[in-house]
Amino acid sequence: MPFIPHTAAETAAMLEATGARSLDELFDEIPARLRSGPLTHVPEALTEHEIGRLMRERAAADGEFLTFVGAGAYEHHIPAAVWEIAGRGEFYTAYTPYQAEASQGTLQLLYEFQTMIASLVGLDVANASLYDGASALAEAVLMAVRLHGRSRRVLIPETVHPLYRQVVQTIVSAQAITLDLVPMDGAGTTDVGGLASRLAGAAGLVIPQPNFLGCLEDVHAMVAAARAAGALAIGLVNPIACALIVPPGEWGPGCDIAVGEGQPLGAPLSSGGPYFGFMACRREHVRQMPGRIVGRTVDAAGHEAYTLTLQAREQHIRRSRATSNICTNQGLLVTAATVHMALLGPEGLRRVAAAAHANTATLRARLEAIPGVRAAFPDTPFFHEVVLRLPVPVPEVLRALEAQGILGGCALGEFYPAFADSLLVCATETKTETDIAHYAHHLERIVTRRRLDPPCAYKDDNPRSP
């Protein structure tokens, strides 16, 4: 594909065919008040060499940090083969595979992705991805309301990712759907004691596993409570965790819908994205599931073939009456995820999850040994994130750690005022014993000094240059 798809001669031929004398005349039906006008803030063009140098300088200015931040975006090892394959032209530039006869490779890949996700979460059918994890949860809430048919109220725990809750609220509020916030208990998990009364007349219950604070919820009890109340159970899961712990399809009587963020499956930490969401459900709910679904069939010659199926649910068929008008298929990221899962296999994914859990257990033990640092929920099972309470201001600690090239975690005070003194830390399989010891050394030094010095006098003694 050329960098400039239309030459001057091609543009002139197009104008002649349309009868327009210029591009401005071609688009003269657009009111002047809606046109952008000259792009005055766009800088002058650079050569290939100049733009390469600029990007290298900006990357160097960002620096390379040792990260212990999770909070919904996780650093995992991505085999080199993943993006070597995903970056091939036939995948990298592929678009929506509406023409099955020309898209068998893409359709087969999406079918395999669906199969892997359905197997991972223990449900019957998965779609070919959604925009991201937060909007996937919103789609699940809308789907639960459609399936329930009588209620427009859904319960969502306080332990669900705060940004996910904001996205869901933004999307569903315009459809007169109420989100009922379920408080957490003292163990960092959802208070299941009052669930039965709260669930009366509700359409659904969101169940995070693990939750935003890294804790493992009593998912069996939560699903059972939802089923007893006639509400749908919506599992919000980490795909890596599903390789190690019980998947949502096996929670109690089983979830109805499972969603999550697919970033841990082959997508790098890259300035906030792009990521993709996944969704799976029970077979009886499939006609209310948004997004594309690829099916396997045979063609006229009896050969195995793939095609989009149940398309009457989609925007291009039903328009405003579709199951969703915001969902999308993140094809490139799904390609990477499919290759990633195929390379690791079930055992590889399980090993990644086990290593992440073990590293986080080691990290917690090393950091708890620092005087004044303690785990917020010492008796609650966790996956690969834990909450630590610090004896000194969290923002100052994070700034001092960053000066040492360490991203120390996520400050929770912004989301939970009661945890203003708390830090959410994460260690995946990418962390070594040396990394953990390095973090513990600097955190102990910073905490010790901060407790001894007056607040106004505190400065780190060894700042790290970018």
Side-chain angles (χ1 to χ4, degrees):
M1 179 184 293
F3 288 107
I4 302 175
H6 304 121
T7 66
E10 290 169 338
T11 301
M14 177 192 68
L15 292 173
E16 182 179 357
T18 60
R21 289 171 293 183
S22 67
L23 290 176
D24 287 338
E25 185 177 319
L26 181 65
F27 297 108
D28 62 1
E29 71 275 11
I30 301 176
R33 62 185 176 82
L34 297 179
R35 300 182 189 181
S36 64
L39 301 178
T40 56
H41 297 293
V42 176
E44 292 295 323
L46 300 178
T47 65
E48 180 181 349
H49 169 73
E50 290 170 334
I51 195 69
R53 180 169 182 171
L54 175 64
M55 298 309 293
R56 287 192 297 272
E57 290 173 351
R58 290 185 175 178
D62 286 342
E64 185 174 348
F65 292 87
L66 181 63
T67 179
F68 291 88
V69 183
Y74 303 101
E75 182 184 44
H76 289 285
H77 170 67
I78 303 172
V82 170
W83 283 96
E84 182 68 24
I85 295 172
R88 289 177 60 93
E90 58 266 40
F91 291 128
Y92 200 75
T93 60
Y95 188 58
T96 303
Y98 288 124
Q99 293 178 284
E101 67 277 12
S103 306
Q104 284 299 293
T106 299
L107 287 165
Q108 180 179 349
L109 181 140
L110 293 176
Y111 181 85
E112 292 177 358
F113 167 78
Q114 292 171 179
T115 304
M116 292 176 186
I117 290 295
S119 176
L120 194 61
V121 301
L123 287 169
D124 300 322
V125 59
N127 67 12
S129 87
L130 294 164
Y131 184 68
D132 61 11
S135 60
L137 180 58
E139 291 286 0
V141 169
L142 295 172
M143 181 177 168
V145 168
R146 291 194 301 271
L147 286 165
H148 191 271
R150 299 179 302 280
S151 173
R152 304 190 71 80
R153 183 170 65 89
V154 173
L155 274 60
I156 186 166
E158 189 180 9
T159 58
V160 168
H161 196 307
L163 300 183
Y164 280 38
R165 286 191 271 121
Q166 291 178 23
V167 170
V168 175
Q169 178 64 39
T170 298
I171 291 174
V172 308
S173 60
Q175 301 196 36
I177 294 173
T178 300
L179 296 179
D180 188 353
L181 191 65
V182 184
M184 76 172 76
D185 57 23
T189 55
T190 302
D191 183 4
V192 298
L195 266 185
S197 59
R198 287 177 173 272
L199 278 166
L205 168 66
V206 176
I207 306 171
Q209 185 73 328
N211 66 29
F212 178 67
L213 302 176
C215 300
L216 298 184
E217 299 274 3
D218 186 355
V219 293
H220 301 292
M222 296 175 76
V223 173
R227 187 64 58 85
L232 283 90
I234 304 168
L236 174 62
V237 296
N238 179 314
I240 299 295
C242 287
L244 186 64
I245 61 179
V246 177
E250 299 175 18
W251 297 349
C255 273
D256 296 281
I257 307 167
V259 296
E261 171 57 60
Q263 178 271 325
L265 301 173
L269 296 176
S270 181
S271 300
Y275 296 152
F276 73 93
F278 60 86
M279 173 182 280
C281 70
R282 299 163 71 93
R283 184 183 180 89
E284 58 263 35
H285 302 327
V286 68
R287 289 188 178 275
Q288 287 298 331
M289 183 165 64
R292 300 180 179 91
I293 299 175
V294 178
R296 185 174 64 182
T297 184
V298 293
D299 62 17
H303 300 141
E304 188 176 83
Y306 301 88
T307 186
L308 294 178
T309 188
L310 299 177
Q311 292 187 70
R313 306 164 302 109
E314 291 194 56
Q315 303 97 310
H316 66 287
I317 300 292
R318 301 192 73 196
R319 299 176 68 81
S320 63
R321 295 183 293 116
T323 54
S324 172
N325 276 276
I326 63 169
C327 67
T328 185
N329 169 36
Q330 294 283 52
L332 180 61
L333 279 301
V334 163
T335 299
T338 306
V339 177
H340 187 87
M341 288 188 285
L343 284 173
L344 269 64
E347 178 61 20
L349 289 171
R350 189 196 67 78
R351 290 183 181 182
V352 167
H357 173 72
N359 281 345
T360 302
T362 300
L363 176 66
R364 187 178 83 164
R366 290 295 300 267
L367 299 186
E368 277 191 296
I370 299 171
V373 177
R374 59 187 177 87
F377 314 112
D379 300 321
T380 304
F382 59 89
F383 172 49
H384 68 358
E385 287 175 282
V386 292
V387 177
L388 298 173
R389 291 193 180 275
L390 305 185
V392 296
V394 172
E396 293 184 12
V397 170
L398 290 178
R399 284 194 295 270
L401 286 170
E402 186 174 344
Q404 302 302 320
I406 300 169
L407 300 181
C410 174
L412 291 178
E414 176 184 355
F415 305 116
Y416 302 96
F419 291 94
D421 64 344
S422 299
L423 185 65
L424 180 66
V425 297
C426 171
T428 66
E429 83 286 0
T430 62
K431 298 299 170 288
T432 66
E433 291 185 7
T434 301
D435 294 333
I436 293 170
H438 182 65
Y439 181 22
H441 165 74
H442 283 290
L443 181 62
E444 182 173 15
R445 181 182 60 81
I446 292 164
V447 167
T448 301
R449 179 168 179 176
R450 180 62 183 83
R451 296 179 78 180
L452 294 175
D453 289 352
C456 60
Y458 175 72
K459 287 185 180 180
D460 190 78
D461 59 0
N462 186 25
R464 173 185 181 273
S465 300

